[in-house]
Amino acid sequence: MLKTTEILIGDYLFLRLKQLGIETVFGVPGDYELALLDLVEPLGLKWIGTPNELIGAYAADGYARINGAGALVTTFGPGELSALCGIGGSYCESVPIVHIVGYPKISLQKTDKILHHTLGDGRYDRYQKISSELSCATTVLDDYLTAASEIDRVLTAMMYHSKPGYIGISEDIAYAKIPSSSLNTPIPRTLSPPAPEVQAPALSAIINTLQSSKVPVLMIDGGAARSSWAQYVNPLINTLKIPFFVTGMGKGIADESSPYYQGCYAGDGSYPATVIDAVEAADCILWLGNFPADFNTGMFTQRLTNKTIIDLQRFSLSVNDTKYDNAPITFILPSLTKSLPPLPSLPSTPLSLSLPPLPSTSSPITHDLFFPLLSPFLRPTDIIITETGTVQVGITLTHLPPNSLAWTQQVYGSIGYAAAAAAGASVAALHPTSAHNRIVLITGEGSLQLSIQSLSLFRRVGVPVVVFILNNKGYTIERFFRGWEAGYNDVADWDYLKLFEGFAPATEGEKEERELLFKGYRVKTLGELEDFLGDGEKLLLGKKATCVEVIVGKEDAVEPLKRTFKSASEGGGK
């Protein structure tokens, strides 16, 4: 417990971050925040400067998904606006990030002088108002007497809602002193448990519904702030002993080596296709974190009418039309595991995603072959991050190893997200408590061009990263919307391997170790791909990062994606 002494408000803010388990701060320096940044490292936090603010926001998102919360620091105006696309994704997919913005001094704001980074109209509240649409709570500290309570209010809301929060702070406020005593009262990191009179009937409703059903299944989705409840899923699976499925957004939460795992359900884009009949034959679905967005449902091609849906969300659960408030998924899941009586066991065998007969080794690489071939390459300690679009559908063809972790930005879908998020995740994976020691990034060349500067972070920070770039000379998923010949779907041809090396130049003392520090490969045939994936020694060459450019056909796409768009165009779904 801290003694009551005086402390700088800036120190108070960063110490609060440490108490929330945030040990790394991402961002881009700017003049209005420089004095604030001087306080970061003396307090034991690590600063990682990113190539731009958007990459910083994506990196903070990836870090927070592993660590539980993240932080980004930008300057007022252009800096914070540049980060907002990334903050929007975190808001959509319930990732708690505090966005700290360095403001002009209060004394300067009170003059009639026009300051840089403003809109030239003397107003300083416009950017906060914009951010308020993408944050669960905002504040601009303008009074040292209320600074501590305002910081605590925003951080408390951020953790409670699992959404971004916004704190504006100027140099004169950051260096004002306040009592440190408030630091003795912790910010709650988790939700409060429900009252017994709320939890008991909610659990009874779930258990009674499951017991009365004849063909129940478990569906693992990605809503409700998935990282907060993911740890409770595998024990529930082992207790339920019923078939379970994932959605695209929920892939990477559950152990796919379980005999109860049956595949990915996305309406007509399900994989394997047998999943469609299996799910749609169920009479009851226990659905964790249901998020019925378009790509997550195979463009709304699910057919789930006349079924009992038990829908568990962050703050409540519903059994069909009956809603139980104040019944958070983070408490209901472990309680359900403990209180479930034996259910009738349903026949279930481990899902085998066997490869079709492979063509000759000189054959070109297809998406339908790349993703299944990736399965034995992956390790139990991997974190697999996939880009939006074709890749996030393709990863459903990959069988993930136990104890791995995977996600994709399924709903917000900002292309370029995955590379920068992988950089942030690689930093979080350095923590001694992390069970993961390698990042596998899978992206398309078009998406990577939006955030390719992220590759420079892999040289400097984090655990080793393997980057797969699927290059088909253009945007694939957009071609389904407007045809394969639309010129605006083309992508400039870059030499990704040279760029990969250029973003991570060897220092004078590393030149002899160059081959050990970074490796780049280009594979064009199935034989070349199999050689790379099967040669474990290659994986040891890149101590920090390995880049693999995979050349695929311009009009190639994974079969589930083709089925989804075909069905959607024909009016499939409910």
Side-chain angles (χ1 to χ4, degrees):
M1 182 175 291
L2 293 172
K3 296 180 180 179
T4 303
T5 57
E6 286 195 319
I7 187 174
L8 297 180
I9 292 174
D11 285 346
Y12 182 93
L13 171 59
F14 289 124
L15 286 173
R16 276 305 201 193
L17 300 191
K18 288 187 69 174
Q19 289 179 342
L20 290 175
I22 299 172
E23 298 183 353
T24 299
V25 177
F26 298 90
V28 178
D31 55 349
Y32 290 138
E33 65 183 287
L34 296 180
L36 183 66
L37 295 185
D38 286 336
L39 305 176
V40 172
E41 293 187 341
L43 292 173
L45 292 166
K46 184 177 182 179
W47 163 260
I48 293 181
T50 57
N52 57 52
E53 292 85 359
L54 176 59
I55 286 176
Y58 289 154
D61 181 294
Y63 178 91
R65 291 187 191 234
I66 303 296
N67 185 65
L72 170 72
V73 183
T74 67
T75 197
F76 175 79
E80 58 180 305
L81 294 182
S82 295
L84 281 185
C85 179
I87 297 296
S90 300
Y91 185 89
C92 172
E93 301 202 353
S94 298
V95 182
I97 294 172
V98 57
H99 185 185
I100 301 168
V101 178
Y103 266 63
K105 290 182 178 179
I106 300 295
S107 56
L108 288 175
Q109 292 184 43
K110 291 180 179 179
T111 70
D112 58 0
K113 297 177 181 178
I114 297 177
L115 302 181
H116 64 284
H117 292 344
T118 69
L119 297 178
D121 59 1
R123 288 185 57 182
Y124 296 89
D125 62 344
R126 291 187 183 274
Y127 305 135
Q128 181 192 9
K129 287 183 177 180
I130 294 171
S131 285
S132 68
E133 295 292 329
L134 303 174
S135 305
C136 64
T138 71
T139 189
V140 176
L141 306 177
D142 57 7
D143 184 347
Y144 74 95
L145 293 175
T146 59
S149 61
E150 281 295 283
I151 290 170
D152 290 358
R153 177 181 66 82
V154 171
L155 294 180
T156 298
M158 176 185 79
M159 299 305 296
Y160 178 80
H161 294 284
S162 193
K163 302 280 189 182
Y166 176 101
I167 297 175
I169 180 170
S170 61
E171 179 181 343
D172 43 1
I173 290 293
Y175 279 74
K177 289 188 175 182
I178 57 173
S180 65
S181 54
S182 294
L183 289 171
N184 293 324
T185 303
I187 302 288
R189 298 183 63 178
T190 59
L191 299 178
S192 299
E197 61 269 22
V198 173
Q199 179 165 289
L203 286 173
S204 294
I206 296 174
I207 293 170
N208 292 339
T209 303
L210 288 173
Q211 287 183 314
S212 62
S213 66
K214 296 180 179 179
V215 190
V217 299
L218 173 66
M219 187 71 66
I220 300 168
D221 211 335
R226 56 173 270 175
S227 61
S228 65
W229 50 267
Q231 61 182 310
Y232 305 118
V233 172
N234 287 325
L236 178 65
I237 290 169
N238 294 331
T239 299
L240 279 171
K241 294 181 171 59
I242 62 175
F244 79 87
F245 305 82
V246 300
T247 65
M249 195 176 178
K251 191 171 175 69
I253 294 176
D255 180 3
E256 295 185 6
S257 68
S258 166
Y260 306 106
Y261 176 60
Q262 300 299 296
C264 181
Y265 180 65
D268 289 342
S270 300
Y271 186 79
T274 53
V275 165
I276 301 172
D277 290 339
V279 171
E280 295 175 2
D283 62 355
C284 175
I285 303 177
L286 178 60
W287 206 307
L288 311 184
N290 184 16
F291 208 133
D294 48 7
F295 282 107
N296 204 36
T297 61
M299 302 303 289
F300 307 116
T301 57
Q302 294 179 339
R303 290 168 287 270
L304 299 176
T305 55
N306 302 319
K307 299 183 189 305
T308 299
I309 305 292
I310 305 171
D311 184 5
L312 280 75
Q313 296 294 336
R314 179 163 176 80
F315 298 111
S316 63
L317 68 87
S318 301
V319 180
N320 279 352
D321 295 328
T322 304
K323 186 176 181 182
Y324 298 83
D325 290 317
N326 303 314
I329 186 173
T330 51
F331 289 98
I332 293 298
L333 287 189
S335 298
L336 181 61
T337 300
K338 293 177 182 177
S339 55
L340 263 174
L343 296 175
S345 295
L346 298 176
S348 185
T349 55
L351 177 64
S352 176
L353 298 179
S354 58
L355 278 172
L358 294 179
S360 69
T361 55
S362 60
S363 298
I365 301 166
T366 66
H367 286 83
D368 281 331
L369 291 176
F370 169 79
F371 286 100
L373 283 171
L374 191 64
S375 299
F377 168 84
L378 299 175
R379 305 187 307 213
T381 54
D382 284 344
I383 298 172
I384 303 103
I385 303 174
T386 49
E387 185 55 88
T388 189
T390 309
V391 174
Q392 67 186 188
V393 179
I395 196 66
T396 63
L397 280 64
T398 304
H399 209 149
L400 303 183
N403 302 315
S404 61
L405 178 63
W407 77 83
T408 181
Q409 198 184 62
Q410 183 84 14
V411 181
Y412 189 66
S414 180
I415 61 173
Y417 161 82
S426 74
V427 175
L430 283 173
H431 196 277
T433 61
S434 173
H436 305 281
N437 56 26
R438 187 179 70 166
I439 305 292
V440 177
L441 164 65
I442 313 170
T443 183
E445 88 286 5
S447 297
L448 183 61
Q449 288 193 11
L450 276 79
S451 59
I452 197 165
Q453 305 100 307
S454 304
L455 299 181
S456 64
L457 297 174
F458 297 147
R459 167 67 181 88
R460 298 188 291 123
V461 299
V463 299
V465 179
V466 181
V467 182
F468 288 97
I469 306 171
L470 273 66
N471 187 349
N472 69 340
K473 310 297 183 183
Y475 295 111
T476 301
I477 207 163
E478 283 77 6
R479 289 169 171 157
F480 281 97
F481 288 104
R482 285 295 182 268
W484 295 90
E485 301 305 320
Y488 46 72
N489 285 325
D490 291 342
V491 171
D493 196 13
W494 291 5
D495 191 329
Y496 295 97
L497 300 187
K498 286 184 179 178
L499 285 167
F500 178 72
E501 293 186 2
F503 277 117
T507 64
E508 189 66 30
E510 294 172 338
K511 287 183 177 178
E512 292 184 0
E513 289 187 287
R514 179 69 198 181
E515 290 294 299
L516 295 177
L517 289 169
F518 318 100
K519 289 294 294 184
Y521 303 87
R522 181 176 289 110
V523 294
K524 299 180 180 180
T525 67
L526 274 177
E528 292 173 345
L529 177 63
E530 289 182 285
D531 285 347
F532 174 82
L533 295 176
D535 190 346
E537 292 302 312
K538 286 191 175 73
L539 312 185
L540 301 177
L541 290 176
K543 291 183 179 178
K544 277 292 183 181
T546 300
C547 183
V548 189
E549 183 182 5
V550 182
I551 307 300
V552 292
K554 185 175 182 178
E555 297 186 5
D556 185 59
V558 287
E559 184 60 32
L561 189 63
K562 295 176 184 177
R563 281 193 272 110
T564 295
F565 277 94
K566 182 177 184 295
S567 179
S569 67
E570 295 172 351
K574 56 185 180 180

